[in-house]
């Protein structure tokens, strides 16, 4: 809808931006041919999970924080487990670490396939939703649903169920899957790997608008392999620090137009705090050499170099990560013998623990302060989307500035697509976003 006032001010209003999670508004103000303001207004009421955790037992965060998100609950569970185990001075054995990585692979598969096929591909193929897209591209939608089903099956086998897994606990799992349990998934995951390769080839053929950003990237880097469930943090500006130093390098501040905090990276470049980006583009650009050979081959075939700085091509990076997650899951299953304890004891003690993992959308940080009896005195959770908000606003400012000659309808459509590049998970629940472009 376009509104025009007597003063010549034009307001372009989109009442609902579907295919994102959460309630928010995006306001773009254009005055005298210049973009003067871009605001991602997250007005969804806070849910106060950090306050809810105070006074709870040290064993409870994995189950409580999983409810923050129905799409990436494993990320919350894994970061919570790491932070509690760190506070209690416990390291889990290698077979539990591998099983956690396998569960995380399942989450990446289901989340990336959901985003690629149901949330983002309709933008590139010219449809308002996957339902309309399915009329002309039924095989493409079925490919995405088949991939998501494979991810759900893996999460169910390891986590007990696909949404808010019930088999995860501090110290490990309640039960270990048998070798036969996981072997039964091999045909499904082998097909999923083939489907992921087809996905990478498909999305590589999309038409990508020109947009290159130069913000710092931040991602995990483990001792070996591509980052999922463990590692220290590295940036494209040369920073390297452990999870325990997260709050020394990341600062958050409140802005009047959003209920979510804005995060900034300290020590980047000249030492000033500035917006940064986490997620697929950062992971890939900082760790592409750590992909499996098959995933590296898929990246090359899709036209990706060692780095990627076009946010519109994030859909290609997600497809490459799909290949990697399927490949990695099959590798872990091939080596799984089903032996070992399902969990180690994590006795409570006073202390502070930090945990950070790579959710599908980027870095997810947890910190817990425990009393001697294990009760939680304080908690802090920094999700990927709050970290990415300032960069989303900055990228949209640059994107709109170069396209002010477009008609309002087309500019709005492209702005919506630009927002969806980041797969923002605003509340991890609903799907309402109010987009305004004002011209004065």
């Amino acid at each position: 809808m376009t509104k025009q006032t007597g003063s010549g001010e034009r307001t372009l209003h989109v009442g609902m931006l579907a295919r994102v999670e959460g309630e928010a508004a995006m306001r773009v103000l254009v005055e005298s041919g210049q973009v003067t303001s871009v605001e991602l207004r997250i007005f969804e009421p806070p849910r106060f999970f950090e306050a809810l955790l105070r006074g709870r037992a040290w064993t409870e965060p994995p189950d409580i924080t999983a409810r923050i998100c129905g799409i990436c609950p494993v990320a919350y569970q894994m970061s919570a487990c790491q932070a509690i185990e760190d506070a209690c001075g416990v390291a889990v054995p290698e077979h539990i670490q591998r099983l956690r990585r396998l569960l995380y692979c399942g989450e990446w598969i289901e989340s990336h396939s959901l985003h690629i096929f149901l949330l983002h591909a309709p933008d590139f193929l010219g449809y308002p939703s996957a339902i309309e897209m399915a009329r002309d591209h039924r095989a493409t939608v079925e490919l995405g649903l088949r991939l998501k089903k494979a991810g759900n099956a893996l999460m169910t086998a390891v986590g007990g169920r696909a949404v808010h897994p019930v088999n995860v606990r501090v110290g490990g799992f309640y039960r270990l899957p048998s070798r036969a349990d996981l072997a039964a998934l091999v045909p499904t995951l082998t097909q999923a790997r083939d489907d992921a390769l087809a996905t990478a080839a498909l999305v590589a053929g999309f038409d990508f608008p020109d947009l290159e950003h130069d913000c710092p990237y931040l991602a995990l880097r483990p001792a070996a392999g591509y980052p999922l469930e463990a590692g220290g943090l590295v940036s494209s500006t040369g920073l390297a620090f452990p999870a325990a130093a997260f709050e020394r390098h990341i600062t958050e501040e409140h802005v009047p137009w959003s209920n979510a905090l804005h995060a900034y990276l300290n020590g980047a470049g000249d030492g000033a705090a500035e917006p940064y980006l986490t997620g697929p583009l950062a992971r890939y650009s900082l760790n592409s050499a750590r992909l499996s050979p098959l995933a590296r081959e898929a990246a090359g075939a899709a036209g990706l170099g060692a780095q990627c700085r076009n946010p519109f091509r994030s859909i290609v990076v997600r497809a490459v990560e799909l290949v990697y997650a399927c490949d990695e899951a099959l590798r872990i299953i091939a080596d799984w013998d089903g032996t070992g304890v399902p969990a180690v004891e994590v006795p409570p003690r006073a202390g502070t623990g930090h945990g950070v993992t790579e959710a599908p959308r980027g870095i997810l940080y947890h910190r817990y302060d425990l009393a001697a009896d294990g009760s939680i005195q304080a908690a802090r959770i920094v999700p990927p989307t709050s970290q990415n908000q300032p960069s989303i606003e900055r990228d949209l400012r640059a994107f709109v500035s170069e396209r002010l000659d477009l008609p309002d309808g087309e500019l709005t459509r492209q702005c919506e697509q630009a927002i969806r590049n980041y797969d923002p998970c605003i509340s991890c629940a609903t799907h309402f976003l109010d987009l305004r472009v004002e011209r004065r």
Side-chain angles (χ1 to χ4, degrees), residues 9-347:
E9 176 182 332
R10 294 160 60 193
T11 300
L12 188 66
H13 179 188
V14 177
M16 179 178 290
L17 175 64
R19 294 181 272 132
V20 299
E21 296 86 359
E23 297 180 359
M26 177 67 80
R27 177 177 177 269
V28 179
L29 178 61
V30 181
E31 297 180 291
S32 302
Q34 299 291 322
V35 179
T36 58
S37 175
V38 177
E39 297 173 353
L40 177 58
R41 296 179 169 184
I42 293 182
F43 54 79
E44 181 164 318
R47 291 186 288 163
F48 302 110
F49 269 87
E50 292 163 320
L52 180 66
L53 287 161
R54 294 178 198 153
R56 306 303 292 249
W58 79 107
T59 55
E60 295 185 84
D63 289 325
I64 293 174
T65 61
R67 269 65 185 177
I68 294 175
C69 186
I71 299 201
C72 49
V74 171
Y76 284 92
Q77 290 181 320
M78 295 297 101
S79 290
C81 285
Q82 280 191 19
I84 295 295
E85 290 155 10
D86 181 47
C88 296
V90 172
V92 300
E94 194 268 340
H95 71 281
I96 291 177
Q97 294 175 14
R98 282 188 287 122
L99 197 62
R100 286 177 171 177
R101 188 172 179 85
L102 180 62
L103 180 59
Y104 227 135
C105 285
E107 179 156 282
W108 270 27
I109 294 168
E110 66 86 15
S111 180
H112 278 353
S113 57
L114 170 67
H115 173 80
I116 290 171
F117 289 95
L118 302 185
L119 304 184
H120 211 185
D123 284 324
F124 291 98
L125 295 176
Y127 295 89
S129 75
I131 295 174
E132 286 85 357
M133 188 175 77
R135 297 193 186 107
D136 300 324
H137 301 274
R138 176 170 180 164
T140 298
V141 174
E142 288 178 344
L143 172 65
L145 294 176
R146 191 163 60 240
L147 270 164
K148 190 176 189 311
K149 185 176 180 180
N152 288 346
L154 180 53
M155 292 177 69
T156 300
V158 179
R161 65 186 186 193
V163 179
H164 305 146
V166 294
N167 192 34
V168 175
R169 56 166 289 187
V170 172
F173 295 87
Y174 289 102
R175 62 173 291 274
L176 295 182
S178 68
R179 187 170 187 174
D181 290 335
L182 297 187
L185 293 172
V186 169
T188 297
L189 290 171
T190 300
Q191 176 64 56
R193 184 170 59 186
D194 291 340
D195 287 341
L197 288 167
T199 300
L202 170 70
V203 299
F206 289 166
D207 184 24
F208 301 107
D210 291 330
L211 179 63
E212 295 284 327
H213 54 208
D214 59 358
C215 63
Y217 281 164
L218 187 69
L220 289 186
R221 179 174 291 165
Y226 197 73
L228 275 103
E229 87 301 349
L233 293 115
V234 296
S235 79
S236 57
T237 56
L239 292 175
F241 54 94
F246 185 89
E247 294 178 62
R248 293 203 298 271
H249 290 279
I250 305 298
T251 58
E252 290 183 300
E253 65 178 42
H254 176 260
V255 293
W257 60 85
S258 178
N259 285 339
L261 299 176
H262 278 204
Y264 296 90
L265 179 65
N266 294 315
D270 60 2
E274 62 179 312
Y276 65 98
L277 194 71
T278 185
L281 291 181
R283 280 193 300 262
Y284 177 85
S285 296
L286 292 168
N287 297 281
S288 60
R290 291 165 166 261
L291 289 165
S292 65
L294 184 64
R296 289 200 303 272
E297 181 180 331
L304 293 177
Q307 297 184 26
C308 180
R309 284 196 166 271
N310 183 341
F312 285 92
R313 292 179 67 85
S314 63
I315 193 171
V316 182
V317 176
R318 284 185 174 91
V320 170
E321 289 191 337
L322 267 177
V323 175
Y324 178 80
C326 294
D327 215 21
E328 182 73 348
L330 287 166
R331 183 192 68 81
I332 295 171
I333 290 172
D335 294 336
W336 182 255
D337 61 12
T339 63
V341 296
V344 296
E345 289 303 315
V346 182

Side-chain angles (χ1 to χ4, degrees), residues 50-51 53-56 350-352 367-380:
E50 292 163 320
L53 287 161
R54 294 178 198 153
R56 306 303 292 249
T352 297
R367 186 206 74 221
Y368 298 101
D369 299 333
L370 304 183
D373 65 354
S375 60
I376 298 170
Q377 304 300 292
R380 186 180 181 194

